[in-house]
Amino acid sequence: LITGARGFQQTFYKPLAPVLPQGAPSGVNLTRPKVIQPRPENVRFGRARGGGGNEAARAYAYQVTGGAEKAVYVNGVEFEGVRNGILLDAKRASARGSFYDISGTDRFTQQVKIPSVLTQARRQIGSVRGEGFKGIQWEVADPDVAQQLNRLFDQQNIRISVIHNPALR
């Protein structure tokens, strides 16, 4: 405890050396920032090209990724982000009539929408094969659309996780 010139008392602490976790190798410097692993050769980050192009879709992608401002490209295929080794694709599908609403039996749904969704899913799976990612997850704003996509992927044996993540706005 030290009393200053004006009578203020201040406590000064001597900085302590970092304490190594039990079992950590000696010589580890915990005062320097962690070194980031090198980026895989076929992965890059850049400006998003997709996302539906409208403000709501961009806001949803921002929500899904936790605020990532750059897209992740794996072998040229775009994803909104990556979380814990899982590539994320945000789908701001808004119920009936959205492109990802595949519940219809009409010709457009059967001959255009469903084949397009399957092509996109297979392209994504092909792009990440052998790149070390844990998987792909589509986050869908509408619960019915998420359920439809899950059913389709199960029927087609497509290993993409689809979850419902409601849009905040």
Side-chain angles (χ1 to χ4, degrees), residues 12 21 44 51-52 66 69 77 92 103 106 109 114 128 132 137 145 169:
F12 291 92
R44 71 175 187 80
E69 295 180 9
V77 176
R92 176 80 168 81
S103 63
D106 59 284
T109 298
I114 291 173
V128 302
Q137 179 169 289
V145 173
R169 63 175 180 148

Side-chain angles (χ1 to χ4, degrees), residues 28-91:
V28 174
N29 186 345
L30 297 178
T31 61
R32 295 189 66 201
K34 204 181 215 183
V35 176
I36 297 174
Q37 292 295 319
R39 175 177 53 84
E41 185 178 322
N42 297 323
V43 176
R44 71 175 187 80
F45 298 90
R47 201 172 119 252
R49 295 184 304 229
N54 64 39
E55 183 58 36
R58 285 190 295 275
Y60 186 66
Y62 189 82
Q63 171 191 323
V64 164
T65 62
E69 295 180 9
K70 296 201 176 208
V72 179
Y73 292 88
V74 181
N75 291 309
V77 176
E78 180 181 358
F79 296 88
E80 269 72 35
V82 62
R83 181 186 319 125
N84 299 323
I86 298 173
L87 290 157
L88 305 173
D89 197 358
K91 305 293 184 196

Side-chain angles (χ1 to χ4, degrees), residues 20-164:
L20 291 173
Q22 189 172 10
S26 60
V28 174
N29 186 345
L30 297 178
T31 61
R32 295 189 66 201
K34 204 181 215 183
V35 176
I36 297 174
Q37 292 295 319
R39 175 177 53 84
E41 185 178 322
N42 297 323
V43 176
R44 71 175 187 80
F45 298 90
R47 201 172 119 252
R49 295 184 304 229
N54 64 39
E55 183 58 36
R58 285 190 295 275
Y60 186 66
Y62 189 82
Q63 171 191 323
V64 164
T65 62
E69 295 180 9
K70 296 201 176 208
V72 179
Y73 292 88
V74 181
N75 291 309
V77 176
E78 180 181 358
F79 296 88
E80 269 72 35
V82 62
R83 181 186 319 125
N84 299 323
I86 298 173
L87 290 157
L88 305 173
D89 197 358
K91 305 293 184 196
R92 176 80 168 81
S94 51
R96 293 198 82 49
S98 80
F99 186 78
Y100 292 96
D101 171 22
I102 54 172
S103 63
T105 57
D106 59 284
R107 192 174 186 167
F108 182 70
T109 298
Q110 299 300 312
Q111 294 181 4
V112 176
K113 291 164 78 172
I114 291 173
S116 295
V117 168
L118 292 172
T119 298
Q120 179 183 12
R122 290 180 178 129
R123 186 177 66 246
Q124 288 181 344
I125 290 170
S127 75
V128 302
R129 192 168 286 123
E131 295 297 336
F133 291 98
K134 294 179 183 177
I136 299 170
Q137 179 169 289
W138 285 15
E139 298 198 17
V140 182
D142 184 87
D144 295 330
V145 173
Q147 188 176 35
Q148 293 165 24
L149 291 170
N150 256 321
R151 211 171 309 125
L152 176 66
F153 289 171
D154 284 347
Q155 290 169 355
Q156 297 292 318
N157 199 28
I158 291 179
R159 297 180 54 100
I160 291 179
S161 167
V162 181
I163 65 165
H164 169 235

